[in-house]
Amino acid sequence: TRVCCKRARETMVIGMLGRCLRRFSTTVTQHVELIGKPETKEFRVFLKTAAGVRLSPWHDLPLALTAPGARDPVFTFVNEIPKGTYPKMEVNKEEPHNPLKQDLKKGELRSFKYGAMPFNYGCFPRTWENPEHKHPDTGFMGDGDPLDVVEIGETPIIMGDTVPVKVLGVLGLVDGGETDWKVVGIRKNHQRAAEFNDITDV
C-alpha cells in the first residue's frame, strides 16, 4: 500500500463529502440482527428499524446529520469492525439490504494477522469511490467501495452500530492500484470531541 499523506483541513473533507449528500437527518435509529455464527462464511449482520424492517447501511441511512453548510457538520458512521477485534468485516455490496459480512480472499475468511484493529473502522453511507474517476491527488481510480472511516475514540463500538461523527481529516491511500480514501473522525458524543477540530489536533 502506498500512502499519499494529506494533512487536510476539515473544510476540504466536508467539501468532498458534500458532493455525496442527498438528504440530512437529525437522528440515526436502527437495531442490529445477527444471522449465523461469527467467523463463518454464513455470518451476517443486518440493520433493522424498530418495526423489524431491514435497512441497507449503504443506501437507507442518511449521510449528513446536520443541514448542508452547518458550522459544525456531523455525519453517520457505520461501524464494520469494532476496535480490538480481528475479523475483517465489511458491507456486502451484492446482497439485498447490504448486510455486514466477513471478507473473503481466495475463498478464505480474512482476519487481521498483525494484531487487533486499533480503532473502530467502518464507512459512510451514500458514498462511493468511483472506479471510473481518476483522482488528481492520487493519480488512480476509485476502488468501487463506500468511503472508509476510522473512528479514533478509545472504546469499541458495536459491530453494525451507527454513530454520529465529526470529521477531522482524510488520508489518500493507493491500494492495489486503486484510490482508497480513509476519513479520520471522532464520535460526536466523545467527552473530548470539542478539543479536536483538525487532524493536527490528534
Side-chain angles (χ1 to χ4, degrees), residues 61-182:
L61 300 179
L63 170 59
L65 298 176
T66 47
R71 183 177 179 180
D72 191 16
V74 177
F75 298 90
T76 300
F77 167 63
V78 178
N79 192 48
E80 297 168 310
I81 308 172
K83 179 179 179 178
T85 62
Y86 290 85
K88 189 180 185 304
M89 302 295 294
E90 63 179 15
V91 168
N92 187 326
K93 297 180 295 182
E94 287 74 34
E95 294 182 10
H97 306 295
N98 308 116
L100 305 185
K101 72 174 186 67
Q102 191 167 349
D103 190 26
L104 298 174
K105 185 174 183 179
K106 297 182 179 180
E108 298 297 324
L109 293 168
R110 297 184 66 189
S111 295
F112 296 101
K113 300 179 180 179
Y114 304 104
M117 176 61 73
F119 34 69
N120 295 297
Y121 187 92
C123 65
F124 277 150
R126 297 175 180 257
T127 62
W128 181 60
E129 298 191 41
N130 190 346
E132 297 182 358
H133 172 70
K134 181 183 290 186
H135 199 282
D137 287 334
T138 64
F140 290 87
M141 307 291 192
D143 65 1
D145 290 332
L147 198 60
D148 294 324
V149 183
V150 172
E151 195 281 322
I152 62 172
E154 65 272 21
T155 57
I157 296 173
I158 295 172
M159 186 187 301
D161 202 0
T162 58
V163 178
V165 298
K166 177 180 181 179
V167 171
L168 304 176
V170 62
L171 294 174
L173 306 186
V174 175
D175 187 5
E178 297 175 325
T179 297
D180 190 10
W181 293 103
K182 307 294 182 185

